[in-house]
Structure formats: structure tokens, C-alpha cells
Amino acid sequence: MLRLRTIVIATTMALAACSQQPEGAANPPAPAASAVSTSSAAPAATDMTSNPFYSASTLPFQAPPFDKIHDADYQPAIEEGMKQHMAEIEKIANNPEAPTFENTYVAMEKSGAMLSRVMTAFNAVTGANTDDALQKVQEDEAPKLAAHEDAIYLDSKLFQRVQTVYDQRDTLKLDPESARLVEVVYRNFVHAGARLSDADKAKLKDLNKEESTLSTAFTNKLLAATKDAAPVIADKAKLAGLSDAELAAASQAGKDRKQDGKYVLSLQNTTQQPELQDLTDRATRQALFEASWNRAEQGDANDTRKTIERLAQIRAEQAKLLGFPSYAAWKLDDQMAKTPETALKFMQDLVPAVTGRAKVEAADIQAVIDQQHGGFKLQPWDWNFYAEQVRKAKYDLDENQIKPYFELDNVLQNGVFYAANQLYGLTFKERKDIPVYQPDVRVFEVFDKDGSSMALFYCDYFKRDNKNGGAWMDNLVTQSKLLGTKPVIYNVGNFSKPAAGQPALLSFDDVITMFHEFGHALHGIFADEQYPTLSGTNTARDFVEFPSQFNEHWATDPKVFAHYAKNYQTGEPMPKALVDKMTKAGKFNSGYNMTELVSAALLDMNWHMLGADAPLQDADKFEAAALKKDGIDLGYVPPRYRSSYFQHIWGNGYAAGYYAYLWTEMLADDAFVGFKEHGGLTRENGDRFRAMVLSRGNTEELAKMYKDWRGQDPQIEPMLENRGLKDAPKK
Ligand SMILES: [Zn+2]
């Protein structure tokens, strides 16, 4: 997934890098230490000048100088960054000249350089390499950052100028991107409450602050809860079925946690855990599943239920203040889907097909259990274990047979990068001279089709205890022609790290994740915008997963696949019979997979369609009732995330937006059909897609952008077909 800012900042407001010249950029040099730093920094200036965030990085692409950045640098830089930004904003708001596009909108785009520098780096390390000190800074600063953002959006003098230019927009002869900027920024102000009375603004500020504090608390509680909930197992016999690699990882996790000689099954952020597929001992499976399911419901300090119950209530109150019936209605107002009802109907329409398929799969699994005289009814902790047997029986495919063909570096260079080369002409060169925040992080320079240097790409693929779960992409530097910045992008994953000297062998799911995150990276790398607010992945949530899900398709393109799927020891390509089995097996379990996704998405939408008049909910009861209402409460298919550990919606800015994964899948599958209709993997197709979609950021209305490229609105059939659901029984 794409990780939106943990701290509410810069998703809507331009806080991009500064206008100093990046090394290698074509723009003329700006004066050193621009207006940004001279106006405001009086008291702290002497100390601040040695702070690594004080001036623009002198590294290539203005990459953050992680070799010089210490934990202690973040907090003062965030504080100073906010101070500088506020001084710039006040200067814009109090400008004696009449408001113009230049002195208002463009000036705002240029503001906040230092804050942007520190926050992009801070988001990267707190997401992927956090520690107690950083978490403390996060907790301290989250409410201040929220208040900072409010102070800008709720500044009535500033909004008056924004409004004046907006009202004149049709007479200003703006170019299309500038006209779009006016619309987007104006709407952001209105959505943030700029038109509210002073009393209501004060109320909204308080709610925003509380929301931000609770959201950060949720994230940190969940990280601790997930770590604590990992089952510790002394008796190796209980782990029968695990592969040597899984056992070694569990043993290493035991050592890391000072539980030498014991085995620790570290939890992933999803409900299901990878080991559940292999563990033969049913009691261990149940224990692992329950540890996952109940991780954040232990009644201790890390229990998240009270936090989310209040969060849901606060969000409904925010929406009401702004004149929307629910949080979802507010958040979808500027999305491709437009209303929660449209999104809800889209999901509810999927329920019969996905649950119908899941029930067929469940019957297959129950048959295996009965055949083996199991004497029990299928439970969620049995699903993956028996599904794997059904898969082997029906498809004769063992994950461990295919992993040797997916060595990480090979997948990256000969798969992910190769596809980008074939489609877009990109080439990549590893750079060991760019400082990183953790030794496992690698950096590549990206070259365009004409050989010119265009971006940096960092990847941080291995699981760590101090990393949030899942996978995501973000920018360290956002592209902007106005600011003279080129993209610096990173991908984070949670793949198992091999023991020293061993190859990192991936599952096919991991391979898909790499292609997915790199699809986001391409959206950032190809960004060709004037304004940072409209640049790259700064698009609607129900569009932003489209390039990433689309890019997943290339993992199975025959030419790309043949180029990377080679045995790491022999270099032999994957035998055709195995490829065929894998392709066939790709649709296996799709009923389960889609049902758990749709359940989670429905939970999210139901939580956020609550009105402000609804009473405080009981998290467990609400969850059960919501799943029942939508006819998706199959006990053996729990939601992919339970409410109490649904990081996307309570911590990461995806509230009322999880449906977007399904929505964009519709776009991605439809788009891939569009490619196939024109010859598939060709430079011509790639260049056209880049020109009309991937390089366009949020510079025009997204439904129109899609339709102009595709020649028609997106259709749902390719998605159902791709998932093997087209002919699924409907009941
Ligand atoms: Zn994504």
C-alpha cells in the first residue's frame, strides 16, 4: 500500500522541498538560505544552523543526509520548520498587495521548505526504523503539527485571499495545471473548515488535535501490542511443519528478544499469519491465530478499543461541523467515487460473488478435513493449512518449490526494473555513496529513456521489529518544476530476512508486493508537475492505488516472468509445467482473499458512515453487527484486519478509503485489458500511459484522465475475471 503521512501534514497542503538548486538539476541556483530562513528564526538560529535539516541537503537530488542526522535533530527541526512555515504563511496572508495567483497560491507552494525536509525524513524513519526516542517525538509533535495545519487552513485572512483568486479564476487566463491548483487548494481549505465561524473553527481545531493524538497513540499501542502478542514457544515439537527457514527465523526472533532457546512467532499486521499454512499442530495454529486476532484486545495499556471508539466519534463530529452527514461523506467529496453510497454499493455488489466463491472453497476444505477424519468444523486457523493441501491436491504446487526461483535481488533487477525498462526505457544503477537510515536500505539512481538522471529510488525490504507492518511507498523529496526538485522515492517491505550468507527467497505474494510498491514508485518517478501539491502520487486515494495495482500485472507477463524467474542456484528458468501450475493456482483461494478484503473495506466504510448523533460504539459489537448487516460474516473468513488492529484506517490516513484498493483494482484490471488490446508490453504502450497518466499527478479530474487514456469508463468485468470470480455461484 501507499502509506499516507502518519502525521497529518502535507497530504493536501504544499510543504515541499525548498527552492535551492539540487545538484544535477537544470534550474538556475536560488540564493543560498532563501527568504525561508532569514525572516523568523531569531532565537534558535545560532543552534539551528548546525541542524542537518536547516538548509537544503547538498547531496545528489537533495537526498537526506542520514549519516549526519541523529534522533535528537528531529524535534528541534520540526519546531523550527513550523515556525518558519508560519512566518511565511503570515507574510502571504498580510501581503498589502491585492491577492494574485502568484502572491498567494504560488507563494504557498514555495513555503514550508524546512518543515518538508524534516517531515519526509521523519516519516521515513518513524515508519521503518523507529525507536523510543522517535516515538516520543512523534507523540509530542503530532498534536502540534495538526494545530499547525489547522492554523494555516483556518487563517481567515489567508482564506480571503484564496477565495478572492478562486472567484476570479475564470478571468485569470491560467494554464490548466495552475487552474487545477486553484480548484484543489480552494477545496482543501473549504474541507478543512475555512468557511466556519470562529467558534466552530475552535471546535474543529480541538477535534483535529484530539484525533491526531489518538491516531498516534493507536499506532504506537498497536506496534507494542503486536510485538507482545507474538507467541513464545519452548517446545519445538509444537512447531512441527514449519520449514527450516521459518524455524531459524523463529529461533532468531527468540534470541533478538532475549528468549534464547525459545521460538517466537512474530506477528504480521494481517489477521492470518504465514506460519498457519505450515503448522501441523492444530492447538498451535489456534493459539497463533488467537494471538493475532486478540492482539490489541488484552484489556491492558495497549488495548486499542477505547481509542478507536472515540476516534470514530470524533470523526463523525468533525464531519458534522463541516456540513457533511458522516466522515465518509466528507472524505469522499473529492474522490473519484464522490459519495460513500457509491463506494458502499460497489462493495455490496461484490459480496454475492466473493462469498459464493469462498463457500465453495470452504466446502473443498471441509471435504479434506473429513477425509482425514479430522472430526471438526473448519475454523479460520485451519483455513490456510488445509487450503495449502487442497492446493497441492488440485494444483500439485508447493510454495517451497517455487521460492528458489524468486531470489530478491534477481526479482528486483531482472523483474521489477526490467519491466520498467521494457515499458518506459528506464535504467537503474546502484549507488553506495548515498547515506541510508539503516544498513539494509539500498539506493538506486534512475535514468530516463534518453539516459538522463531522473530520480533516486531507495528500497528497504526486510522485516524488523521496529518497522510498521505491511509495505508502502513515500517520497523523501517531492518532484516540482517550481522548486527545481526531482523525485527521491522509497519502497518499504516486510519480507523475512535470511540468515547471514543465505539468499532472500520470496513467496510469489512478496514478488507481487515488490511490483505493487514499485508501481507507486513509478507514479512518483515520472511526476512532471509544476506544483508540489499536484505532483506524483498526491492524488485521490481511490486513484493512487491504480498505478501500483496495474504494475502488479507485469509480474506475470510471460516475457517479464521468463526474465526473472530463474533458480538462484542453477540459473535455470522455472519449468513450464511449474509456471502453468502457478498461474492456475493464482486464482486459487480468491474467494477467501476477496472476502477478507471486502469485509475489511466494509468495516471501514461502516465505521465512517456513522453520524454524529450515533452513540459511542462498542468496537466488538459494532464490528460483528456491521459484518452481519452486509451478509459477509462468514466465521471462517475473518476480515483481513480487525477493527482493533486496522492500522490503515486509524493510524495511516486511509479512513473511509480502504475501499479504494478494490476500486483501483477495477481500474488496474481494466487498464491492463487496455494494454493487451494494443499489444501488451511495448514501449509505445508504456510511453503513452506515462504521458497521459503516470506523469500527470493530480493535474486534472481523475475520472476524465482515465477515460481520455482508455477511451471509455472503467468496467468491472476484467476484475471479476482476473480474480476467477466471473462465473462464481451467486449464493
Ligand atoms: Zn499500494
Side-chain angles (χ1 to χ4, degrees), residues 1-2 516-517 520 545 548 661:
M1 62 152 233
L2 173 79
H516 176 101
E517 296 309 331
H520 288 306
E545 295 295 326
S548 51
Y661 285 99

Side-chain angles (χ1 to χ4, degrees), residues 610-664:
L610 283 170
D613 305 329
L616 191 75
Q617 301 295 317
D618 174 293
D620 293 331
K621 281 186 193 155
F622 180 84
E623 179 172 277
L627 296 173
K628 189 157 192 276
K629 169 180 79 74
D630 288 324
I632 200 160
D633 57 336
L634 305 182
Y636 43 69
V637 189
R640 186 170 170 84
Y641 304 98
R642 196 181 193 183
S643 302
S644 55
Y645 51 86
F646 205 162
Q647 170 75 16
H648 297 74
I649 66 166
W650 306 119
N652 283 2
Y654 258 78
Y658 198 73
Y659 78 94
Y661 285 99
L662 296 161
W663 184 272
T664 50

Side-chain angles (χ1 to χ4, degrees), residues 261-519:
K262 292 186 184 167
Y263 299 88
V264 173
L265 300 177
S266 303
L267 294 183
Q268 284 198 354
N269 63 337
T270 48
T271 297
Q272 290 287 358
Q273 301 297 313
E275 295 88 350
L276 287 169
Q277 178 181 302
D278 299 324
L279 288 163
T280 56
D281 185 286
R282 189 164 190 243
T284 309
R285 286 204 303 272
Q286 182 172 356
L288 175 57
F289 177 86
E290 286 176 349
S292 171
W293 183 246
N294 297 317
R295 69 180 77 176
E297 303 200 2
Q298 296 297 315
D300 60 4
N302 295 325
D303 192 314
T304 60
R305 282 173 293 184
K306 290 278 172 280
T307 309
I308 66 174
E309 288 161 7
R310 177 66 185 144
L311 266 171
Q313 197 176 42
I314 289 173
R315 289 173 177 174
E317 288 169 17
Q318 289 171 323
K320 189 182 177 192
L321 266 180
L322 292 163
F324 291 94
S326 67
Y327 183 87
W330 170 31
K331 288 295 150 178
L332 267 67
D333 188 45
D334 62 356
Q335 299 293 298
M336 201 170 164
K338 303 267 191 268
T339 67
E341 288 73 21
T342 306
L344 195 64
K345 181 172 183 307
F346 163 71
M347 289 186 278
Q348 285 169 342
D349 285 352
L350 289 169
V351 169
V354 303
T355 55
R357 175 64 69 187
K359 285 173 189 170
V360 170
E361 292 165 2
D364 282 352
I365 289 173
Q366 190 66 52
V368 175
I369 294 171
D370 295 347
Q371 220 169 36
Q372 298 175 4
H373 308 292
F376 56 84
K377 273 237 166 290
L378 168 66
Q379 295 296 329
W381 50 87
D382 301 316
W383 188 290
N384 288 357
F385 181 71
Y386 290 98
E388 183 62 12
Q389 294 183 33
V390 172
R391 193 208 304 263
K392 279 180 192 162
K394 278 201 171 177
Y395 305 98
D396 187 28
L397 184 75
D398 177 354
E399 276 268 308
N400 294 321
Q401 268 183 291
I402 58 180
K403 280 188 173 180
Y405 294 91
F406 301 136
E407 189 274 319
L408 189 149
D409 189 56
N410 185 46
V411 172
L412 179 66
Q413 310 235 22
N414 294 316
V416 173
F417 288 172
Y418 174 74
N421 175 267
Q422 295 296 297
L423 286 164
Y424 313 110
L426 300 186
T427 52
F428 302 84
K429 189 168 169 253
E430 185 155 14
R431 290 192 65 152
K432 306 273 190 187
D433 59 323
I434 307 288
V436 292
Y437 55 82
Q438 206 278 343
D440 287 344
V441 182
R442 297 170 70 186
V443 184
F444 293 85
E445 184 169 357
V446 186
F447 298 91
D448 206 347
K449 52 192 167 187
D450 62 0
S452 61
S453 171
M454 67 185 306
L456 287 181
F457 170 69
Y458 296 45
C459 48
D460 178 6
Y461 287 130
F462 295 125
K463 182 153 76 177
R464 283 190 293 275
D465 265 351
N466 66 344
K467 193 190 257 191
N468 285 336
W472 62 92
M473 164 273 186
D474 211 336
N475 282 60
L476 286 164
V477 178
T478 299
Q479 178 277 339
S480 161
K481 286 186 267 193
L482 178 72
L483 306 179
T485 48
K486 292 184 177 187
V488 179
I489 311 271
Y490 59 97
N491 279 175
V492 180
N494 266 283
F495 309 144
S496 300
K497 188 176 177 175
Q502 295 299 305
L505 301 183
L506 304 176
S507 69
F508 193 57
D509 279 354
D510 294 340
V511 172
I512 296 289
T513 298
M514 281 177 72
F515 275 87
H516 176 101
E517 296 309 331
F518 197 73

Side-chain angles (χ1 to χ4, degrees), residues 99-169:
T100 64
F101 176 70
E102 279 294 324
N103 73 20
T104 306
Y105 285 77
V106 176
M108 281 194 290
E109 291 295 297
K110 288 179 178 169
S111 71
M114 180 173 177
L115 187 57
S116 173
R117 280 197 293 272
V118 60
M119 287 311 299
T120 48
F122 188 64
N123 284 334
V125 295
T126 51
N129 201 39
T130 195
D131 57 38
D132 291 346
L134 292 173
Q135 287 195 353
K136 176 78 173 60
V137 176
Q138 217 176 358
E139 282 175 22
D140 287 354
E141 295 302 318
K144 295 187 199 173
L145 285 159
H148 174 73
E149 197 178 57
D150 283 346
I152 296 168
Y153 277 125
L154 302 181
D155 180 327
S156 49
K157 270 193 198 159
L158 182 65
F159 180 62
Q160 233 165 36
R161 298 177 71 88
V162 166
Q163 173 94 56
T164 303
V165 176
Y166 176 81
D167 291 342
Q168 299 166 350
R169 68 193 184 285

